[in-house]
């Protein structure tokens, strides 16, 4: 039976308020954007697998990293205290060894060099629905310190790449809240820490980012799925719960893969042949139901990213394209 971290198995985001997609600007450069992201970014084998998938398909990803995977449990007891929690707590655990940290840091740097977007998923994967601005800032500070000190924590400071310090302090520009759960304190804290975008919303369908709160805010969409075409959040965990009630079922893995691929294809086709609203899909560094959702993703990207007028991009790459389209749409209104 698969071990799903408690952070992924607590709920199907029942309290989320669904946002209406903002009005659409003209398609950026006429392209259909496909934006794939991964939450957690911990399992080193899945770092290797996702980077290989990206090279094979030509896609760029956003990796939302949980920072407790850059420290051991012993380190966490000394250095990390999440808001409202005891010292050294984490809902998703810690790195098991210093060697594991070194390998993970190497993958993060490799992904950065290959054009992927490294974002923040905070640290210990706690629900921030009641957090103040100061609470979020405390968590962001912990993330920044953990990333900056990763090679030291790994016991390999001599292996720290040139440019790592600047990347750790200034290169993390995107955020997704654990559980997609936010509070009124989040946006002011994101702006104070210099983030460029938030990706913590859920929308009733594929949508352009909202610019109403200062920073651009992206939302994972509801997409039709299965024989009855019931909407589900376009994320592997939600499909896992839909398909097997959140209980690992390898026997039906191939069937779940086909259902997922069909849902991805239909959601893509609707936008590609329509208004070309960006399609966002989210995943975790856990292969649920025997890897059904990662296999579906690989097949989807293999057939989609090479399609004419399609760009499989990270959030960081999508944002300037969308902002440019928005400005063009504003100018054309006059």
């Amino acid at each position: 039976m698969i071990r799903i971290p408690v952070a992924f198995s607590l709920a199907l985001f029942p309290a989320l308020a669904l946002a209406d997609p903002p009005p659409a600007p003209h398609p950026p450069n006429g392209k259909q954007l496909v934006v794939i992201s991964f939450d957690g970014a911990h399992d080193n084998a899945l770092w290797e697998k996702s980077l290989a998938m990206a090279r094979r398909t030509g896609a760029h990803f956003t990796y939302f990293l949980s920072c407790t995977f850059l420290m051991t449990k012993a380190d966490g007891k000394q250095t990390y205290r999440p808001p409202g929690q005891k010292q050294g707590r984490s809902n998703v655990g810690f790195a098991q060894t210093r060697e594991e940290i070194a390998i993970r840091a190497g993958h993060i740097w490799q992904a950065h060099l290959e054009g992927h977007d490294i974002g923040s998923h905070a640290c210990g994967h706690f629900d921030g629905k009641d957090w103040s601005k100061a609470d979020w800032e405390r968590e962001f500070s912990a993330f920044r310190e953990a990333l900056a000190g990763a090679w030291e924590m790994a016991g390999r400071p001599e292996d720290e790449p040139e440019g790592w310090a600047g990347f750790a302090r200034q290169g993390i520009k995107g955020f997704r809240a654990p559980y997609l759960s936010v509070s009124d304190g989040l946006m002011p804290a994101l702006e104070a820490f210099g983030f460029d975008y938030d990706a913590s919303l859920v929308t009733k369908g594929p949508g352009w980012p909202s610019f109403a709160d200062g920073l651009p805010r992206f939302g994972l969409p509801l997409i039709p799925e299965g024989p009855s075409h019931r909407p589900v959040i376009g994320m592997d965990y939600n499909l896992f719960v839909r398909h097997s009630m959140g209980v690992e079922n390898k026997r039906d893995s191939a069937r779940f893969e086909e259902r997922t691929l069909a849902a991805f294809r239909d959601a893509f086709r609707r936008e590609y042949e329509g208004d070309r609203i960006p399609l966002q899909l989210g995943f975790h560094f856990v292969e649920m139901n025997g890897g059904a959702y990662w296999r579906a993703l690989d097949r989807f990207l293999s057939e989609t990213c090479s399609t004419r007028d399609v760009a499989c991009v990270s959030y960081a790459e999508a944002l300037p394209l969308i902002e440019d389209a928005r400005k063009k749409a504003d100018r054309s209104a006059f």
Side-chain angles (χ1 to χ4, degrees), residues 25-34 208 268 271-278 307-311 321-322 324-326 328:
H26 298 302
N29 301 323
K31 287 189 178 295
Q32 172 65 51
L33 304 184
V34 176
W208 302 92
F268 169 80
E271 301 311 325
Y272 183 69
E273 296 176 356
D275 292 331
R276 295 203 171 177
I277 297 171
T307 301
R308 181 179 178 181
D309 291 335
V310 173
L321 295 174
I322 293 170
D324 182 60
R326 179 170 170 256
K328 290 178 180 177

Side-chain angles (χ1 to χ4, degrees), residues 31-47:
K31 287 189 178 295
Q32 172 65 51
L33 304 184
V34 176
V35 185
I36 305 298
S37 57
F38 296 93
D39 291 2
H42 55 296
D43 188 317
N44 280 318
L46 293 181
W47 267 109

Side-chain angles (χ1 to χ4, degrees), residues 74-128:
D75 296 328
K77 288 182 178 180
Q78 297 296 319
T79 64
Y80 175 55
R81 181 161 189 167
Q85 304 290 330
K86 293 181 180 179
Q87 185 84 15
R89 282 284 314 280
S90 169
N91 270 351
V92 289
F94 297 87
Q96 298 299 302
T97 65
R98 301 202 181 282
E99 177 64 17
E100 179 188 325
I101 297 172
I103 295 171
R104 183 168 297 118
H107 286 140
I108 292 168
W109 188 244
Q110 181 182 4
H112 170 67
L113 294 179
E114 292 181 9
H116 299 284
D117 177 25
I118 309 299
S120 171
H121 199 42
C123 285
H125 209 285
F126 292 99
D127 187 340

